[in-house]
Amino acid sequence: MSPYSFGINLYNWFETFAHDSFRRKYARIYSTGQLNAAKRNYPNWKTLTKEQKNEIAAYWGIKNPAKSDFITHEIMLNVKGAFDVRYVPEKIFRVFLDPAFGDRKLLPAWSDKNYFDRFQPILHFPHTYVRNVNGYFLDRDYNPISKEDAKRIILEHLPLIIKPSLISGEGKNIRLIANEKEANEIFLQYSKDYLLQEVVIQCDELKKMSPRCVNTFRVITAMVNGKPENLTSHLLCNTTDVIAGNTAPAVPGEGVVLIKVDETGRLSDTGYYENAKQLQTLPSGLTFGGLQIPSFKEVVNLALEAHKSMPMLGFIGWDITIDENNKPVFIEWNLLGFEIYHTQLTNGPLFGQYSDYFAEIAKKLIKQK
């Protein structure tokens, strides 16, 4: 082995070790937070039996079980009222399955929102007017423009939504730009890597849910035996502000409502706050059970079709809304640590009918470690 190859391999080993260590710690902390939040809403809390813990460890191939490995199952036992070994522990997904199904070196580049419409021309994204890539301004078609041109385009098309093009998380730093004063603030508050897009007008059904924000569907697809398959879908309905993540809810964990969506686009009768509290009626007074979402089959089919061209990305969480013309609008896709807890809370075990397939892979990966 040449010195160069040795150096690359050593660097990759340290990078993998650092990633795995972070993911282990994050999974433990995040799971503990989920547990503490859920316990406050279920006073008659039940713990797992020794037999149930053994069954979980055997199914997922966990060698040396820690307390955090069983948190997801314990939460779901209390929330759903039944034990199911197929729920995926946070550590199993984040440390073993997620890294193995996607090349982590590709993920940052493929997560750049400035290039979504170039990567996936078959999908409809909100119209982008100005892009900032590494400090340089580009127009809609990726032609270089000056800062003055960027400002002119922005002022001509107000109101616009500004968002970071790289990892932001939970809607942070996403703003509505409605006037010249706010447009001028862009150049002071955002240094680089962002984009300005049209304001999406959602369909009537989603307006009923929360008229002051764009509600999105999280559709999760995965590569199974070399082919993309649909795992689960749920609606994220923000009840706090016009832009997700900008305003903290009055009660921690009760800002976003998560609601299962079946394959036909029908909403479940029961939704959940992020703290696992159940509800059937939104704070606005709307009872959402049975509400039919238009064009939802098209949403799922487009996500699956798009995933075909990206098999190097094993799991993709697609954020999609339906516009005023009942057409799917893809807001973004999520590759880096999207929430599996949300989908398991609303839909049940993440992998559903493919649980045994992924459990066997998890066992092999754990043995290799």
Side-chain angles (χ1 to χ4, degrees):
M1 180 182 295
S2 69
Y4 177 79
S5 297
F6 176 79
I8 291 295
N9 289 337
L10 184 63
Y11 174 84
N12 289 338
W13 184 89
F14 276 111
E15 185 179 47
T16 299
F17 177 79
H19 272 282
D20 288 351
S21 297
F22 170 78
R23 285 171 177 258
R24 286 177 189 275
K25 184 174 181 179
Y26 179 84
R28 183 177 68 255
I29 294 173
Y30 186 57
S31 295
T32 302
Q34 295 166 354
L35 180 68
N36 293 335
K39 276 186 172 181
R40 288 192 285 269
N41 293 301
Y42 297 86
N44 300 317
W45 194 261
K46 301 176 183 177
T47 58
L48 296 172
T49 65
K50 182 178 179 181
E51 290 74 17
Q52 289 170 332
K53 291 180 179 180
N54 289 338
E55 188 177 347
I56 295 166
Y59 185 80
W60 290 105
I62 303 172
K63 290 181 179 178
N64 301 301
K67 182 179 179 181
S68 61
D69 292 321
F70 305 115
I71 286 179
T72 297
H73 289 82
E74 187 169 312
I75 293 173
M76 299 308 166
L77 171 66
N78 287 274
V79 174
K80 301 293 187 179
F83 173 76
D84 191 331
V85 72
R86 298 176 301 159
Y87 282 106
V88 188
E90 288 283 341
K91 186 175 76 175
I92 293 295
F93 182 76
R94 297 188 185 280
V95 178
F96 299 101
L97 290 172
D98 191 23
F101 273 75
D103 188 335
R104 69 181 80 206
K105 290 183 173 58
L106 295 176
L107 299 188
W110 281 85
S111 297
D112 190 338
K113 298 179 181 65
N114 262 315
Y115 291 91
F116 281 177
D117 42 6
R118 175 158 283 189
F119 290 156
Q120 284 295 347
I122 70 168
L123 303 180
H124 174 54
F125 292 91
H127 187 92
T128 299
Y129 288 97
V130 172
R131 311 175 193 274
N132 185 289
V133 179
N134 196 31
Y136 298 98
F137 289 100
L138 306 175
D139 66 12
R140 160 76 180 176
D141 299 313
Y142 298 93
N143 297 307
I145 58 176
S146 67
K147 179 179 177 180
E148 291 69 27
D149 286 336
K151 182 177 179 180
R152 174 182 54 79
I153 294 171
I154 292 169
L155 292 175
E156 287 176 354
H157 295 94
L158 295 177
L160 295 172
I161 295 291
I162 186 171
K163 62 178 71 171
S165 59
L166 302 178
I167 301 172
S168 57
E170 300 177 346
K172 290 182 175 62
N173 296 319
I174 298 178
R175 291 179 53 198
L176 176 69
I177 306 300
N179 54 53
E180 184 173 1
K181 178 179 179 295
E182 292 173 342
N184 289 328
E185 290 173 353
I186 291 172
F187 304 99
L188 298 175
Q189 298 177 2
Y190 294 79
S191 58
K192 63 178 182 177
D193 297 317
Y194 56 88
L195 64 162
L196 289 108
Q197 296 180 326
E198 66 177 337
V199 176
V200 176
I201 307 300
Q202 60 190 343
C203 67
D204 291 340
E205 289 75 11
L206 292 179
K207 283 181 182 177
K208 294 177 185 177
M209 304 291 294
S210 182
R212 297 189 64 242
C213 73
V214 174
N215 304 288
T216 59
F217 299 95
R218 172 65 55 83
V219 176
I220 299 178
T221 59
M223 296 300 297
V224 180
N225 289 319
K227 177 185 175 184
E229 300 287 356
N230 179 40
L231 296 183
T232 64
S233 303
H234 64 273
L235 173 68
L236 295 93
C237 178
N238 183 32
T239 62
T240 60
D241 194 29
V242 65
I243 303 296
N246 280 358
T247 300
V251 178
E254 295 188 12
V256 175
V257 177
L258 313 163
I259 308 169
K260 177 182 177 179
V261 190
D262 70 16
E263 64 275 6
T264 69
R266 179 187 178 278
L267 297 186
S268 173
D269 294 338
T270 299
Y272 300 86
Y273 284 117
E274 293 176 293
N275 62 12
K277 181 179 179 180
Q278 300 183 22
L279 68 163
Q280 289 75 41
T281 303
L282 294 176
S284 64
L286 176 71
T287 300
F288 49 79
L291 188 67
Q292 188 68 39
I293 303 300
S295 308
F296 193 74
K297 289 184 179 180
E298 185 181 356
V299 164
V300 175
N301 289 337
L302 282 170
L304 289 170
E305 186 64 28
H307 200 163
K308 285 181 182 178
S309 66
M310 302 189 295
M312 68 291 193
L313 307 175
F315 302 106
I316 301 180
W318 308 86
D319 286 350
I320 311 157
T321 192
I322 308 294
D323 71 11
E324 57 187 335
N325 298 312
N326 292 339
K327 295 295 183 182
V329 179
F330 281 68
I331 305 300
E332 63 183 17
W333 60 69
N334 299 271
L335 308 175
L336 297 165
F338 60 84
E339 307 289 358
I340 67 166
Y341 176 65
H342 290 172
T343 196
Q344 295 199 121
L345 192 61
T346 54
N347 290 273
L350 171 67
F351 297 128
Q353 62 180 312
Y354 306 110
S355 293
D356 290 351
Y357 170 83
F358 284 104
E360 288 304 311
I361 293 174
K363 290 175 184 176
K364 294 177 182 177
L365 292 170
I366 291 171
K367 284 184 178 179
Q368 291 172 5
K369 289 285 185 180

